[in-house]
Amino acid sequence: MAGSEDARDVRRAGLSGPPIKPIPPIAKAQEQLFASGKSSRAKYADLVIGEPGFAALLKYELVVSIAQPVPGALGLVLRRTMYPWLLGSCGRNVVFGQNVVLRHPHKIHIGNDVIVDDNCLIDAKGESNRGIRIGDGVFIGRNTILSCKNGDIDLADGANLGFNCEVFSASRVTIGASVLMAAYSYVIGGDHDFSDTTRPVLDQARTSAGVTIGEGVWMGAGAKILDGVAIGAHAVVGAGAVVKDDVPPYAVAVGMPARVVSTRTP
């Protein structure tokens, strides 16, 4: 068992053997915005809107210009009315705070009774991904980022993401029902190969195995879940923990790297 775990760590770090899952090259924002051969409108549409055509551009610009920056009750009403025009689907009683940014919004699907607090980024960017699905009763705290790089993110019913969290996906990240992510927690569904010392890490291949977080998990403030990890249902991850290996259901894991120190009684 120890040998297989060591091999898994090596593969995750990109030191030897095949990567966990190679993914197609992802263009940097600079490359998309400054590439030659495309109009500025087309490059902006690729990066932000995700749909071709002047009509999609006009609708997006109309909504964000009128509704995104407006403070107070008027802003809440405008965003509640206008943001669903851009989304793939949107349920009842969805509250969008001030300066909530949507990218590739036609691939964002939101259930009922959801709160997205101020200054959040919901980014479903990708050429072939399904995007972001947010279940009923989800809370997304201020300054939190959901970011896809041609990956998918699923937040199940009742998930609660605190302030300044980040969920990143280059393949698939699933966060179960009633998961509690305290402030400054990160879920990192992607990685970099760094085996070639002659090239910057930024120029090397990306890999992604995805992350699965089970129902009822509690992640303490500043916890970080690395790519390829599965957290079992009702587990607890301590504040500041760095999780690089799977955590069983009902386990309590703490430390850097995280290790299981006890098991909760179901």
Side-chain angles (χ1 to χ4, degrees):
M1 177 64 73
S4 66
E5 289 176 352
D6 291 344
R8 179 182 173 185
D9 291 343
V10 168
R11 287 196 300 273
R12 179 180 290 123
L15 296 176
S16 67
I20 295 174
K21 179 183 176 184
I23 59 177
I26 300 172
K28 304 182 186 73
Q30 305 97 302
E31 295 170 345
Q32 291 178 284
L33 280 177
F34 304 132
S36 59
K38 274 188 176 183
S39 68
S40 296
R41 178 167 66 85
K43 288 183 284 188
Y44 178 76
D46 288 346
L47 184 65
V48 176
I49 301 169
E51 294 181 288
F54 184 72
L57 172 64
L58 182 62
K59 181 170 67 172
Y60 183 89
E61 291 300 298
L62 177 69
V63 170
V64 299
S65 297
I66 294 175
Q68 187 184 82
V70 179
L74 176 60
L76 291 173
V77 171
L78 287 172
R79 289 183 291 274
R80 182 172 180 174
T81 302
M82 300 180 72
Y83 271 26
W85 300 353
L86 303 176
L87 299 173
S89 63
C90 188
R92 302 180 306 275
N93 302 322
V94 178
V95 176
F96 298 97
Q98 188 176 358
N99 297 320
V100 169
V101 176
L102 307 174
R103 292 183 182 159
H104 288 220
H106 66 290
K107 290 184 289 186
I108 300 171
H109 300 265
I110 301 178
N112 302 315
D113 305 317
V114 171
I115 296 175
V116 183
D117 205 347
D118 295 347
N119 305 319
C120 290
L121 170 63
I122 314 295
D123 184 355
K125 190 161 54 263
E127 296 180 357
S128 59
N129 60 331
R130 183 169 57 88
I132 296 174
R133 280 167 167 73
I134 299 171
D136 295 343
V138 170
F139 175 83
I140 301 174
R142 181 187 297 257
N143 302 322
T144 286
I145 297 171
L146 306 182
S147 177
C148 296
K149 294 283 190 181
N150 212 35
D152 300 322
I153 296 173
D154 290 341
L155 304 183
D157 294 350
N160 188 306
L161 280 60
F163 305 139
N164 299 286
C165 292
E166 181 173 359
V167 179
F168 169 81
S169 175
S171 58
R172 181 73 181 275
V173 170
T174 301
I175 295 179
S178 301
V179 165
L180 174 59
M181 288 177 58
Y184 299 95
S185 296
Y186 289 2
V187 176
I188 308 165
D191 209 343
H192 291 271
D193 182 11
F194 58 92
S195 57
D196 185 350
T197 57
T198 66
R199 301 164 58 207
V201 173
L202 187 62
D203 295 336
Q204 299 189 50
R206 292 172 180 261
T207 63
S208 182
V211 174
T212 301
I213 299 178
E215 176 183 0
V217 167
W218 175 24
M219 294 169 53
K224 296 172 178 63
I225 313 300
L226 304 187
D227 187 45
V229 167
I231 308 292
H234 305 289
V236 174
V237 177
V242 177
V243 184
K244 65 183 186 67
D245 294 307
D246 294 351
V247 176
Y250 294 96
V252 178
V254 300
M256 297 186 292
R259 60 186 181 87
V260 175
V261 295
S262 63
T263 300
R264 305 170 66 204
T265 303

